[in-house]
């Protein structure tokens, strides 16, 4: 999705803005631009369609782009094609005020019409351009950018994170947010604006997360935080706990690969300090509910999108199985439009890696509006979902840059497993189960490592399916959502059409697709329904389907029906997803890489989907 960077200080803004935009590339974009106020106190705008590197190459000499105040943007098209005129920054007609905008101005057509009747000419098809003209309109009378921005935003319906500069006041940036994240970074006699900490973390770890309805006026040596109604706000400075190395690829070709290989550590971080060996249970401090309150819960709703939704499905299976509490999993994008029922004693969880997904945030607010207590499971400290939830748990996966979520998924599943055990131990689960679970969970990081060590073999299997046009992923029980996740990974980054199915459901339709060209990737682990899934796979075999199995180490029999087998170490049933998903992530990665695709920035996708 769109990204914003801004700089004001004593250094040259241009390289800082370009570097910041590169750090935001992972979010997905189709054009980019910067606006700076140069030495002659004149506003200059440079834009390019495509990658940041194209923008960088198109810039004139450093002397011409030198300026100490600037704003920059990566655009992910919503209104208007991804072309030069629609790229940000947008300016007023006199090219004095420049604006970058994330979000959507819902009433932009009405505003545009009004401005056009006043004689304003528009040069793009975007909703964002109205902001530049509106701000200029109010600035004519106010002669104060902060007040002009406030007046303009009063007329706006929709969501925004914006940064604005005006050549008439070259030492100032005004930024504001409603529904779209924005951060002020505080450096040494310099300030940064960003929609994501990744853009500025190499310069400063001291940040202020703007809340919805807040704005900041940043001058060279000071800043003032207010509401959009101009009420003073007390600044709360936070320290970002990421290391710069978290947002660098290191020796890996892609962030996704790095993040897949980080999973032994990220899973351990998700359970570290959360195991109570003495009482053979787990703890999640952020839940902030007493045992009595937790025991009273009759129902749990889990709301999420995409990969987080798949984690939620695993959570459903685990919580129902281990804690005997009924769970309902909801698509966040559907939730508020379908009049959901939240009975008394229901606990609502929203899961979001980014903590900024617009659909999930809207669902959180809807559940709260209906009187529910909502807990957030997020990876991003200070994110909107983390701040607006009534309590919550961080998954501590570290920065996830690859658009295709991998380590966040296993960390989400880890935390959901802990939750299931906590609730289960309050009910029927025995201390023996609790102790056995903890012992096995502690082995998981090392077992993930064992699967990662098999990378070469998985790459060879990827070679055999890389030219396929379709793929079917099968699993049963707790491994069915893993099959969904495997299929999502493949389609996201390799553009091969893939579907996940419960293995036994296949005969009710998808079996029609099976032929000698169709790879069927099946999770067939040694558990209570092993024989059942083998029967399902025999149905595939009988129709000449190509079967690739994810099987339990030592299962020799499975070779009889499989074209290839990827073995994973044995573990207890509840922990299967933490292992079975790893080879599916690796397979998707290698297929996409072998097809020569950009694994980290797949077409049309954005890392954090901040529009509805
Ligand atoms: O940040 P979130 O977990 O809320 O994101 C939800 C989805 O947009 C996300 O999981 C998406 O499906 C990923 N691209 C999956 O790899």
């Amino acid at each position: 999705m769109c990204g914003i960077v801004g700089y004001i200080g004593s250094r040259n803004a241009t390289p800082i803005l370009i570097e910041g935009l590169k750090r935001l590339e992972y979010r997905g974009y189709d054009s980019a631009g910067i606006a700076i106020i140069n030495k002659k106190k004149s506003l200059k705008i440079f834009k390019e369609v495509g990658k940041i590197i194209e923008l960088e190459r198109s810039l004139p000499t450093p002397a011409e782009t030198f300026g100490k105040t600037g704003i920059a943007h990566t655009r992910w098209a919503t209104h208007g094609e991804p072309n030069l005129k629609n790229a940000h920054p947008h300016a007023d007609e006199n090219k004095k005020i420049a604006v970058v905008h994330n979000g959507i101005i819902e009433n932009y057509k009405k505003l545009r019409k009004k401005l056009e009747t006043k004689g304003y000419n528009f040069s793009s098809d975007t909703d964002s351009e109205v902001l530049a003209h509106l701000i200029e309109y109010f600035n004519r009378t106010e002669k104060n950018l902060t007040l002009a921005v406030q007046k303009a935003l009063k007329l706006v319906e929709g969501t925004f994170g914006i940064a604005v500069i005006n050549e008439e006041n070259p030492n100032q940036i005004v930024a504001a947010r409603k529904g779209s994240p924005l951060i002020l970074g505080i450096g040494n006699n310099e300030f940064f604006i960003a929609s994501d900490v990744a853009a500025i973390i190499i310069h400063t770890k001291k940040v202020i997360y703007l809340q919805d309805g807040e704005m900041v006026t940043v001058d060279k040596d000071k800043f003032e935080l207010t509401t959009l109604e101009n009420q003073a706000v007390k600044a709360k400075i936070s320290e970002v706990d990421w290391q710069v190395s978290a947002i660098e690829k290191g020796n890996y070709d892609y962030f996704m690969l790095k993040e897949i290989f980080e999973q032994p550590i990220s899973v351990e971080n998700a359970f570290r300090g959360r195991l109570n060996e003495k009482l053979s249970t787990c703890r999640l401090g952020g839940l902030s509910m007493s045992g009595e309150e937790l025991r009273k819960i009759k129902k749990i709703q889990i709301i999420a999108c995409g990969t987080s939704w798949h984690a939620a499905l695993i959570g459903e299976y685990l919580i129902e199985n281990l804690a005997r509490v009924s769970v309902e999993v909801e698509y966040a994008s559907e939730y508020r439009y379908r009049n959901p029922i939240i009975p008394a004693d229901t606990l609502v969880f929203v899961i979001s890696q980014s903590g900024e997904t617009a659909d999930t945030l809207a669902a959180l607010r809807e559940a709260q509006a209906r009187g529910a207590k909502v807990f957030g499971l997020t990876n991003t400290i200070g994110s909107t979902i983390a701040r607006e939830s009534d309590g919550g748990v961080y998954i501590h996966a570290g920065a996830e840059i690859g658009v295709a979520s991998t380590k966040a998924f296993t960390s989400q599943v880890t935390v959901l497993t802990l939750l299931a055990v906590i609730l289960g131990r309050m009910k029927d689960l025995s201390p023996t189960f609790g102790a056995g679970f903890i012992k096995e969970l502690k082995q998981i990081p090392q077992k993930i490592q064992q699967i990662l060590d098999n990378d070469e073999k998985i790459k060879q299997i990827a070679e055999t399916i890389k030219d396929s046009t379709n793929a079917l992923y099968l699993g049963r029980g707790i491994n069915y959502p893993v099959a969904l996740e495997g299929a999502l990974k493949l389609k996201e980054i390799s553009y091969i059409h893939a579907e996940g199915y419960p293995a036994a459901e296949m005969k009710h339709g998808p079996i029609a697709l099976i032929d000698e060209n169709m790879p069927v990737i099946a999770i067939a682990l040694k558990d209570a329904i092993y024989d059942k899934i083998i029967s399902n796979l025999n149905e595939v075999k009988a129709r000449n389907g190509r079967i690739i199995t994810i099987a339990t180490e030592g299962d020799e029999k499975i070779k009889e029906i499989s074209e290839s087998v990827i073995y994973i170490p044995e573990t207890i049933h509840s922990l299967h997803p933490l292992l079975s998903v790893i080879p599916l992530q690796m397979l998707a990665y290698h297929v996409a890489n072998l097809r020569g695709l950009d694994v980290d920035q797949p077409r049309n996708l954005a890392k954090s989907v901040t529009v509805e």
Side-chain angles (χ1 to χ4, degrees):
M1 293 265 119
C2 306
I4 289 177
V5 196
Y7 175 79
I8 182 162
S10 51
R11 293 191 277 163
N12 183 6
T14 300
I16 295 171
L17 296 175
I18 292 285
E19 162 73 24
L21 290 182
K22 285 183 183 167
R23 301 275 179 190
L24 295 183
E25 281 197 297
Y26 77 98
R27 296 172 61 94
Y29 68 104
D30 41 57
S31 55
I34 65 171
I36 53 135
I37 299 173
N38 71 9
K39 277 190 205 158
K40 293 179 186 152
K41 298 198 173 27
S42 165
L43 180 78
K44 293 286 168 215
I45 295 182
F46 309 97
K47 307 182 195 186
E48 208 50 61
V49 176
K51 296 282 176 195
I52 311 289
I53 188 81
E54 310 296 338
L55 171 67
E56 198 175 8
R57 281 194 194 121
S58 74
L59 292 176
T61 61
E64 287 171 86
T65 58
F66 188 93
K68 296 178 180 175
T69 303
I71 54 176
H73 192 260
T74 45
R75 174 173 188 254
W76 189 84
T78 55
H79 293 73
E81 276 175 46
N83 56 26
L84 208 56
K85 69 173 183 181
N86 290 335
H88 296 217
H90 290 290
D92 69 302
E93 269 182 85
N94 299 321
K95 304 275 178 283
K96 287 186 182 304
I97 291 176
V99 179
V100 289
H101 166 232
N102 288 357
I104 291 178
I105 308 298
E106 283 161 9
N107 60 340
Y108 81 100
K109 280 192 182 148
K110 208 170 99 193
L111 293 172
R112 182 172 173 146
K113 229 182 204 157
K114 269 195 183 166
L115 286 162
E116 279 170 343
T117 56
K118 287 185 194 298
Y120 281 83
N121 292 307
F122 280 70
S123 51
S124 80
D125 309 318
T126 65
D127 55 330
S128 309
E129 194 188 346
V130 294
L131 290 171
H133 296 298
L134 261 186
I135 293 168
E136 187 275 337
Y137 173 76
F138 286 114
N139 197 49
R140 282 183 193 183
T141 45
E142 295 296 337
K143 305 267 180 263
N144 175 318
L145 192 60
T146 308
L147 297 179
V149 167
Q150 284 171 0
K151 286 212 157 160
L153 293 179
K154 234 179 222 150
L155 302 181
V156 162
E157 287 163 21
T159 54
F160 51 81
I162 61 166
V164 191
I165 53 175
N166 176 7
E167 71 168 28
E168 282 168 1
N169 191 354
N171 296 321
Q172 189 176 71
I173 301 179
V174 175
R177 81 158 269 182
K178 187 184 142 207
S180 214
L182 213 58
I183 296 154
L184 172 70
I186 304 167
N188 275 337
N189 300 318
E190 57 186 1
F191 296 100
F192 306 83
I193 299 287
S195 52
D196 182 326
V197 285
I200 57 171
I201 196 183
I202 57 162
H203 304 291
T204 181
K205 290 189 174 179
K206 264 197 206 162
V207 298
I208 293 172
Y209 296 98
L210 267 69
Q211 311 276 344
D212 267 354
E214 287 182 1
M215 64 186 294
V216 65
T217 303
V218 195
D219 293 303
K220 243 185 149 96
D221 50 0
K222 64 176 187 335
F223 67 89
E224 198 187 348
L225 199 63
T226 63
T227 64
L228 294 176
E229 287 75 38
N230 213 13
Q231 301 297 307
V233 171
K234 197 164 174 270
K236 185 174 166 259
I237 300 175
S238 309
E239 189 84 18
V240 179
D241 68 350
W242 293 359
Q243 297 307 316
V244 174
S245 61
I247 54 164
E248 318 233 282
K249 283 195 283 235
N251 293 328
Y252 292 92
D253 290 339
Y254 286 98
F255 280 109
M256 181 185 178
L257 189 63
K258 176 179 177 234
E259 287 154 11
I260 289 173
F261 274 79
E262 278 171 353
Q263 288 177 106
I265 298 164
S266 55
V267 165
E268 190 162 352
N269 287 342
F271 69 71
R272 175 174 296 128
R274 291 170 167 171
L275 305 180
N276 183 342
E277 305 202 43
K278 211 164 139 209
L279 297 178
S280 304
T281 186
C282 309
R283 62 174 94 85
L284 289 170
L287 271 188
S288 63
M289 281 175 86
S290 68
E292 204 187 329
E293 285 171 314
L294 286 172
R295 263 192 301 273
K296 274 194 196 144
I297 294 166
K298 294 214 172 66
K299 186 173 174 173
I300 291 178
Q301 270 182 4
I302 315 181
I303 312 170
C305 301
T307 287
S308 299
W309 186 79
H310 295 154
L313 290 177
I314 294 172
E316 173 182 25
Y317 187 95
L318 289 165
I319 296 166
E320 291 201 340
N321 203 27
L322 301 181
R324 311 300 301 146
V325 177
S326 155
V327 180
E328 205 172 48
V329 175
E330 301 268 358
Y331 276 120
S333 51
E334 290 294 312
Y335 193 74
R336 70 181 147 153
Y337 296 110
R338 63 164 209 83
N339 200 8
I341 298 170
I342 314 177
D345 299 322
T346 298
L347 200 58
V348 177
F349 277 90
V350 293
I351 308 182
S352 172
Q353 185 285 128
S354 60
E356 300 292 351
T357 301
D359 288 326
T360 313
L361 185 59
L364 177 156
R365 289 173 179 162
E366 181 60 29
Q368 281 175 334
R370 287 169 188 253
K373 200 164 187 177
V374 185
F375 286 102
L377 218 84
T378 73
N379 191 31
T380 315
I381 297 176
S383 60
T384 311
I385 289 178
R387 282 186 282 112
E388 291 201 13
S389 315
D390 300 299
V393 182
Y394 285 115
I395 60 170
H396 297 307
E400 189 181 69
I401 307 285
V403 165
S405 184
T406 52
K407 63 175 180 172
F409 174 77
T410 44
S411 297
Q412 289 164 343
V413 172
T414 305
V415 171
L416 288 164
T417 312
L418 302 182
L419 176 68
V421 170
I422 293 171
L423 297 174
R425 284 286 291 118
M426 286 177 179
K427 296 190 161 182
D428 303 333
L429 286 186
S430 67
T432 318
F433 177 92
F437 167 83
I438 291 176
K439 186 166 170 243
E440 196 49 43
L441 181 62
K442 285 162 85 180
Q443 305 282 319
I444 290 292
Q446 167 231 317
K447 290 184 178 178
I448 293 177
Q449 188 57 53
Q450 250 175 276
I451 304 170
L452 296 172
D453 292 343
N454 207 10
D455 191 41
E456 202 41 52
K457 163 98 193 274
I458 295 172
K459 188 174 170 189
Q460 283 164 15
I461 296 173
E463 185 77 55
T464 68
I465 61 166
K466 72 173 201 314
D467 297 319
S468 307
T469 44
N470 295 290
L472 197 59
Y473 283 70
L474 302 179
R476 294 193 72 158
I478 200 168
N479 280 309
Y480 158 55
V482 178
L484 291 179
E485 175 59 10
L488 179 67
K489 287 289 88 86
L490 189 75
K491 66 186 143 197
E492 277 189 302
I493 57 170
S494 75
Y495 317 141
I496 294 174
H497 168 246
E499 281 192 70
Y501 254 88
E505 227 2 71
M506 184 193 59
K507 59 184 175 294
H508 298 290
I511 198 163
L513 300 170
I514 307 283
D515 64 13
E516 65 283 2
N517 299 315
M518 173 70 110
V520 176
I521 296 109
I523 307 161
L525 303 179
K526 284 278 187 178
D527 59 15
I529 46 173
Y530 174 76
D531 291 335
K532 302 276 178 204
I533 197 160
I534 295 299
S535 306
N536 304 140
L537 295 183
N538 274 318
E539 292 157 9
V540 176
K541 179 91 179 154
R543 284 155 187 88
N544 296 322
R546 303 173 52 193
I547 303 175
I548 295 161
T549 40
I550 312 299
T552 309
E553 225 164 38
D555 180 1
E556 289 298 316
K557 204 168 149 254
I558 201 129
K559 287 184 177 161
E560 291 167 16
I561 51 164
S562 311
E563 178 182 295
S564 331
V565 183
I566 304 171
Y567 285 111
I568 64 171
E570 205 167 353
T571 186
I572 56 170
H573 181 66
S574 312
L575 295 172
H576 274 170
L578 290 177
L579 299 185
S580 56
V581 76
I582 308 289
L584 301 187
Q585 297 170 342
M586 295 162 82
L587 201 61
Y589 168 80
H590 284 302
V591 169
N593 198 28
L594 289 166
R595 285 163 75 98
L597 297 168
D598 184 342
V599 176
D600 283 337
Q601 290 164 44
R603 71 179 177 211
N604 305 337
L605 290 178
K607 181 65 183 162
S608 130
V609 184
T610 49
V611 293
E612 197 186 325

